[in-house]
Amino acid sequence: MTPQRNVYKHTKVDGVTYLYPVPVIKENKYLVEVRAEHADFFIFVFKLKFLKSLDQSPDFIYKLRVHSDGNTEIFKIDYDGLHFNLLENSSEDSQKALIIEKLLSSKIISCLKGEEGAVQNFIKSLKKQMNCKTCQRLGILKPELKKIVDFF
């Protein structure tokens, strides 16, 4: 069984930025095309497991093509399929956590898409959730969560 790799690095080839998991496993190599300005963001959210490892075949990527080496698959991220796992999902609060995560995920996706006013909207929503007692109990005040804003 292939280990779940959550550490990614990026490289640029012919002006296109790609993420790749480390350690590189020869039999399970792949690249994920991303916008250059989002590479560090995705590396951050994978490392903190805010996004599932791509080794788990998530539903937020789609295959573009096979690399010229004939083996390495190249994928692209489907922003509309993203869901960030930002909060603690205890069984008693899992529904609340999912609702909050869905709200914040949609705000982050708007930022990634470059929608007008998206960053201010995300910051406003995040601050509002950080003042909510239920959200605080679910882990909204994690310092790593606050760092997401820095990428936009």
Side-chain angles (χ1 to χ4, degrees):
M1 180 176 190
T2 304
Q4 301 300 307
R5 298 170 288 178
N6 284 9
V7 176
Y8 288 80
K9 293 191 176 188
H10 64 85
T11 187
K12 199 170 212 168
V13 179
D14 296 328
V16 180
T17 302
Y18 298 97
L19 300 179
Y20 62 93
V22 288
V24 174
I25 300 172
K26 187 176 180 179
E27 305 79 36
N28 193 18
K29 292 189 308 181
Y30 57 86
L31 297 169
V32 181
E33 184 179 318
V34 295
R35 294 180 191 159
E37 66 269 19
H38 296 158
D40 289 333
F41 167 79
F42 280 108
I43 289 170
F44 178 77
V45 295
F46 281 125
K47 182 180 179 183
L48 293 175
K49 299 181 182 178
F50 288 160
L51 273 180
K52 287 189 262 180
S53 166
L54 294 173
D55 290 332
Q56 296 173 306
S57 300
D59 52 4
F60 61 86
I61 59 172
Y62 58 92
K63 186 175 174 179
L64 280 177
R65 62 188 175 282
V66 175
H67 189 275
S68 60
D69 68 6
N71 294 321
T72 307
E73 293 181 316
I74 299 177
F75 296 94
K76 191 161 184 146
I77 293 177
D78 173 15
Y79 290 118
D80 294 324
L82 287 174
H83 174 82
F84 297 94
N85 303 305
L86 304 170
L87 302 173
E88 311 298 323
N89 282 320
S90 64
S91 58
E92 64 194 50
D93 288 326
S94 66
Q95 198 60 28
K96 291 175 187 172
L98 285 174
I99 291 168
I100 296 161
E101 283 179 344
K102 187 174 181 177
L103 168 78
L104 293 176
S105 289
S106 71
K107 302 290 184 183
I108 293 170
I109 292 165
S110 293
C111 293
L112 291 169
K113 289 180 173 181
E115 294 175 7
E116 190 174 327
V119 174
Q120 295 82 1
N121 241 346
F122 171 59
I123 292 169
K124 182 179 175 183
S125 290
L126 186 60
K127 284 181 180 179
K128 183 177 179 183
Q129 299 307 318
M130 288 181 166
N131 288 323
C132 166
K133 295 291 182 199
T134 300
C135 298
Q136 290 173 4
R137 189 175 72 249
L138 294 170
I140 195 84
L141 296 176
K142 290 187 275 190
E144 299 86 3
L145 238 167
K146 295 177 187 175
K147 288 182 183 177
I148 288 178
V149 174
D150 297 339
F151 290 98
F152 304 112

